[in-house]
Amino acid sequence: MTFKDLGLSAPILKAIEKKGYIEPSPIQGKAIPQVLKGKDVLASAQTGTGKTAGFVLPILEKLIKQEFKRPVVRALILTPTRELAAQIQQNIKEYSEFVNIRNVVIYGGVNQKPQVSALRSGVDILVATPGRLIDLNNQGHINLKKVEMFVLDEADRMLDMGFLRDIQRIMTLLPERRQNLLFSATFSKDIKKLANGFLDNPILVEATPENTTVEVIKQRVIRMDKPRKTAYTIKMIEEGDWQQVLIFTRTKHGANKLCQKLNNKKITAMAIHGNKSQNQRTKALAQFKKGEVRVLVATDIAARGIDIPLLPHVINYEIPNISEDYVHRIGRTGRAGANGVAISLVDNDELAYIRDIEKLTKQKFDKEIIEGYEPPHIDEKDIKAPKGNPGQNRNRNRNSRNPISKPGNKKHYHNSKNSKKGGNRGGGNKR
Ligand code: AMP
């Protein structure tokens, strides 16, 4: 199958060629024709599958068929974080290089003035995070009355970040007759409810792992004595001579502390989390990508959406209390056909989290024990759920569908020419 077979026209095909894409990814092959037909789409796809082009390309195709004297917002793409918003806009810019379509991105945490003046000059595609969109709408800077296509991107993360009410409010601003696309990596009961609420007879589209390319995300789970995690992390990095390692912690404080300890050992490390400014995060990510910093320590909130080519090592220094986050974390490895390893260091307090992750991902981990780092003995019956972050519901994943049931069999699309801008993300208390 080629992009041309999907029904895209010459100027868009030219931009795709310039990006270096050879064939549509599975999600693109399935989603693009449906979007072109005007169908509502419910898509299961996470970052790395090529989902952005899956919705942007057909939106562009539909928009170029109409002529407007002065552009009005005809497509609205709502996404949870500033970084994702910036990435999507970057993609739109590239895909629309040879067509006359205007796009604007708006997100919080930065001065609104340039965004307002961009909106004033006219816009066909608006990419937005919910808070800033509502803000600017309340101030009368946005007209959403002509929106024909509405995309809810990373819907699961939107709900995690507490955007449900904002989404509902935004939907009241849109015309009733419109095409809706919902993208989500996981499908909890809440996502299904949200989807049922606004999608009309949606076509289900899945990024199934139907690839032949061998791409292995190896997952290792090591039971570990909690106080020894730092020492073991340092040992792995030093002995393995790992040069590019992404480490996840659950909290901002944990990220800072670990970062400091690594730096003390002359392992260069920077942290990205909710307390860091946009500039700090962008800088940390850029340095990490260039190889100037060996370790990036991140909380889940901060790391979602970052696209790092050929990332060989991910360490879960702390296990996420939300199982879906595990899926996103290990999705950072093994991109672009590279083999990656995701190592989880699990202390006794986190065994319940691992049990939840095993349920969600429908796999049973072999739990390694390393001499000198073994945790105190614990009876199976004593494995209890530790208290999670306030307001977060660990059991939410009970109804989730597993997007990575075959973890070693997942193809990620990454275009090495395209290095994405770093950014940051909002929300999250401790993360
Ligand atoms: P996404 O899942 O949308 O974040 O895309 C992940 C990466 O895959 C991005 O760097 C895209 O530029 C790249 N990409 C998207 N579609 C294709 C394709 N058909 N072939 C190769 N790379 C692609």
Side-chain angles (χ1 to χ4, degrees), residues 186-228:
T186 53
F187 282 86
S188 64
K189 214 158 88 189
D190 290 340
I191 293 283
K192 284 184 191 148
K193 203 168 134 197
L194 176 72
N196 287 338
F198 81 101
L199 296 173
D200 178 23
N201 254 331
I203 307 284
L204 299 180
V205 164
E206 247 183 297
T208 43
E210 52 177 60
N211 57 312
T212 48
T213 326
V214 186
E215 179 176 286
V216 185
I217 300 174
K218 189 170 182 310
Q219 300 172 74
R220 287 179 62 197
V221 171
I222 307 177
R223 298 231 2 230
M224 180 107 342
D225 190 22
K226 196 178 201 160
R228 311 233 53 210

Side-chain angles (χ1 to χ4, degrees), residues 295-352:
V295 179
L296 191 66
V297 187
T299 59
D300 292 288
I301 286 280
R304 182 81 187 272
I306 60 177
D307 180 30
I308 300 159
L310 300 165
L311 187 63
H313 301 106
V314 166
I315 300 175
N316 293 316
Y317 181 85
E318 287 164 336
I319 307 308
N321 51 342
I322 296 179
S323 307
E324 281 90 344
D325 283 341
Y326 177 83
V327 177
H328 294 297
R329 288 181 180 190
I330 71 160
R332 309 280 129 225
T333 66
R335 308 201 129 201
N339 292 356
V341 55
I343 299 171
S344 300
L345 305 180
V346 186
D347 63 48
N348 282 350
D349 291 342
E350 295 171 319
L351 286 167

Side-chain angles (χ1 to χ4, degrees), residues 3 21 23 28 47-52 413-415 418 420:
F3 281 104
Y21 302 170
E23 53 171 9
Q28 291 161 1
T47 309
T49 54
K51 70 181 166 70
T52 315
Y413 281 79
H414 175 264
N415 175 5
N418 173 26
K420 289 176 171 171

Side-chain angles (χ1 to χ4, degrees), residues 35-181:
V35 182
L36 287 175
K37 273 191 226 158
K39 301 277 189 206
D40 277 11
V41 168
L42 177 60
S44 143
Q46 61 187 106
T47 309
T49 54
K51 70 181 166 70
T52 315
F55 59 80
V56 171
L57 296 175
I59 287 177
L60 284 172
E61 183 67 37
K62 292 182 81 182
L63 292 182
I64 55 173
K65 299 236 156 75
Q66 315 164 350
E67 274 292 333
F68 274 77
K69 270 209 185 99
R70 182 175 151 63
V72 286
V73 183
R74 285 176 289 157
L76 171 67
I77 300 168
L78 206 58
T79 191
T81 69
R82 294 170 229 189
E83 185 190 58
L84 280 166
Q87 280 179 15
I88 293 170
Q89 194 216 15
Q90 180 59 31
N91 282 343
I92 297 175
K93 240 183 173 156
E94 291 163 349
Y95 301 144
S96 64
E97 186 179 344
F98 306 107
V99 297
N100 185 22
I101 293 288
R102 288 185 56 90
N103 70 80
V104 171
V105 63
I106 57 173
Y107 46 74
V110 293
N111 188 340
Q112 70 168 50
K113 265 196 193 150
Q115 298 177 357
V116 170
S117 67
L119 286 167
R120 266 204 209 111
S121 333
V123 45
D124 299 289
I125 306 180
L126 180 63
V127 184
T129 55
R132 183 53 65 96
L133 180 69
I134 290 177
D135 255 15
L136 295 186
N137 180 74
N138 288 345
Q139 297 171 43
H141 295 303
I142 298 176
N143 177 3
L144 296 173
K145 289 277 174 283
K146 295 272 190 284
V147 169
E148 296 159 21
M149 289 170 273
F150 171 56
V151 182
L152 195 60
D153 187 32
E154 307 237 346
D156 48 353
R157 181 52 54 149
M158 292 260 198
L159 297 194
D160 277 359
M161 292 173 74
F163 284 141
L164 181 59
R165 291 186 66 162
D166 286 353
I167 296 169
Q168 287 165 337
R169 161 106 179 88
I170 289 163
M171 284 202 260
T172 66
L173 306 172
L174 305 177
E176 210 140 286
R177 262 181 67 92
R178 56 169 203 265
Q179 184 179 8
N180 299 291
L181 317 174

